[in-house]
Amino acid sequence: MASLSRIVADIATEMAAAPDRGTPAGYIPPLRDVDPARFGIAVVEADGTVHAAGDADMPFSIQSISKVFTLTLALGTVGDQLWERVGREPSGTAFNSIVQLETERGIPRNPFINAGAIVVADVLLGNHEPRAMIGELLRFVRELADDDRITVDHLVAQAEMATGHRSMALAHFMTAFGTMHHAVDRVLGLYVHQCALAMSCRQLAMAGRFLMARGVNPATGRSVVSPQRARRINALMMMCGHYDGSGEFAYRVGLPGKSGVGGGILAIAPGRAAIAVWSPGLNAVGNSQLGTLALERLVQRTGWSIFDPVP
Ligand code: GLU
């Protein structure tokens, strides 16, 4: 096998030249204007070595990747009680779909579709003001990534607050079923700000380290979640992290992963590495076109798919 640095650099070169780059998300105005030529990749190995290439240090809107961090916080707050209000099954429907909610009486299929993440945001609000909870989330992500430069892009948050009619519809619908405990505008305030977290591939891969390391932040040695919880979050990412493209992602990449409509993907090779890729163009189901291809090539060249036999 070529060295990991070589593999990462080669993938960035190949992606820079890729002709079919997908289309940036059009429904959140500031995301529409991001240059589709961008591509970044960062791989943090279990021993802390970082390999990065392309636009790995350029912050982008992490959007639904934030759902991994809010799920982690919500499980820390209410534990398994969370599963009374949100399921753990793949949805097989689009990220913003409302159809299952009616037949399943306002309980979203999983915490990674928009409806599920809105319930998680509702859980996190607890007795907090949205602003305080956004601050807590930012502190959590900065600590995980060991990087205080991470911020929320308020323009992206405002744009989504102004245009996020589907998310508001989901929240109101779930309120009618009694799933939500707080006012819709307060929950959406938290939700759009978590989605507007701006992080680079390097920062995102660093923040994902605890998921490859049995729940421990390898830099501090401190436990973020128990080994069992880390394993379970990875299982949810594997089954539900790419919406109705989750099966295809498992087939092609074979790693727990979470995508966002900003074009980022956080993927975890348990025991080996935390990986972040970013390219703004999306495929038909809203997952990064080149991000997925880059991860597919990475696992082909490293043998890191969780379905590859352990050497
Ligand atoms: N903020 C986006 C929304 O609610 C997140 C979707 C995504 O990244 O998949 O539509």
Side-chain angles (χ1 to χ4, degrees):
M1 181 174 107
S3 76
L4 194 50
S5 297
R6 180 78 264 148
I7 291 172
V8 167
D10 285 352
I11 289 173
T13 307
E14 290 159 22
M15 295 305 120
D20 183 8
R21 311 187 74 84
T23 314
Y27 72 102
I28 303 176
L31 301 188
R32 195 170 45 210
D33 304 329
V34 183
D35 180 2
R38 298 286 175 198
F39 174 83
I41 179 168
V43 179
V44 184
E45 289 189 271
D47 68 0
T49 314
V50 182
H51 309 272
D55 299 309
D57 289 303
M58 182 169 287
F60 61 90
S61 193
I62 71 165
Q63 292 295 317
S64 283
I65 303 169
S66 64
K67 296 169 182 174
V68 174
F69 304 117
T70 52
L71 172 67
T72 304
L73 284 177
L75 286 170
T77 308
V78 299
D80 285 343
Q81 280 175 18
L82 182 70
W83 307 121
E84 292 164 16
R85 291 169 65 191
V86 60
R88 300 195 293 259
E89 292 295 340
S91 68
T93 55
F95 65 98
N96 55 7
S97 172
I98 202 166
V99 291
Q100 278 164 349
L101 273 182
E102 174 142 40
T103 47
E104 297 179 7
R105 307 210 52 78
I107 304 292
R109 274 284 171 99
N110 67 65
F112 291 151
I113 51 172
N114 286 3
I118 289 168
V119 173
V120 170
D122 185 72
V123 168
L124 280 179
L125 274 188
N127 298 322
H128 292 88
E129 286 301 311
R131 188 183 291 274
M133 194 57 229
I134 295 159
E136 198 163 308
L137 173 64
L138 193 54
R139 270 192 298 282
F140 180 58
V141 173
R142 283 176 173 173
E143 188 182 313
L144 289 177
D146 193 18
D147 195 329
D148 282 343
R149 293 168 303 175
I150 297 169
T151 53
V152 170
D153 184 334
H154 290 280
L155 281 181
V156 172
Q158 277 163 17
E160 189 168 357
M161 203 66 190
T163 58
H165 302 296
R166 286 193 76 104
S167 295
M168 268 174 259
L170 292 168
H172 280 294
F173 201 52
M174 291 190 290
T175 303
F177 279 107
T179 310
M180 305 278 287
H181 296 176
H182 298 89
V184 165
D185 59 337
R186 290 162 61 85
V187 180
L188 263 289
L190 170 56
Y191 176 72
V192 301
H193 282 84
Q194 73 173 70
C195 290
L197 274 169
M199 293 171 75
S200 67
C201 289
R202 188 187 300 268
Q203 291 167 332
L204 196 53
M206 292 289 278
R209 290 174 298 178
F210 73 103
L211 290 171
M212 67 139 151
R214 298 178 199 276
V216 172
N217 180 338
T220 61
R222 277 208 295 273
S223 166
V224 181
V225 293
S226 68
Q228 170 173 272
R229 186 161 287 164
R231 175 159 48 73
R232 289 174 165 178
I233 294 171
N234 278 317
L236 287 162
M237 289 169 72
M238 185 81 185
M239 300 306 293
C240 315
H242 283 71
Y243 313 114
D244 44 345
S246 299
E248 180 70 9
F249 186 80
Y251 180 84
R252 289 177 57 190
V253 178
L255 293 177
K258 182 73 205 84
S259 72
V261 291
I265 302 175
L266 172 65
I268 305 298
R272 292 179 152 133
I275 307 146
V277 289
W278 170 56
S279 176
L282 307 180
N283 63 20
V285 288
N287 300 315
S288 176
Q289 171 101 352
L290 292 187
T292 309
L293 182 62
L295 288 169
E296 187 176 21
R297 294 197 177 166
L298 183 71
V299 296
Q300 276 165 0
R301 293 171 197 180
T302 55
W304 280 356
S305 161
I306 64 166
F307 304 109
D308 280 319
V310 177

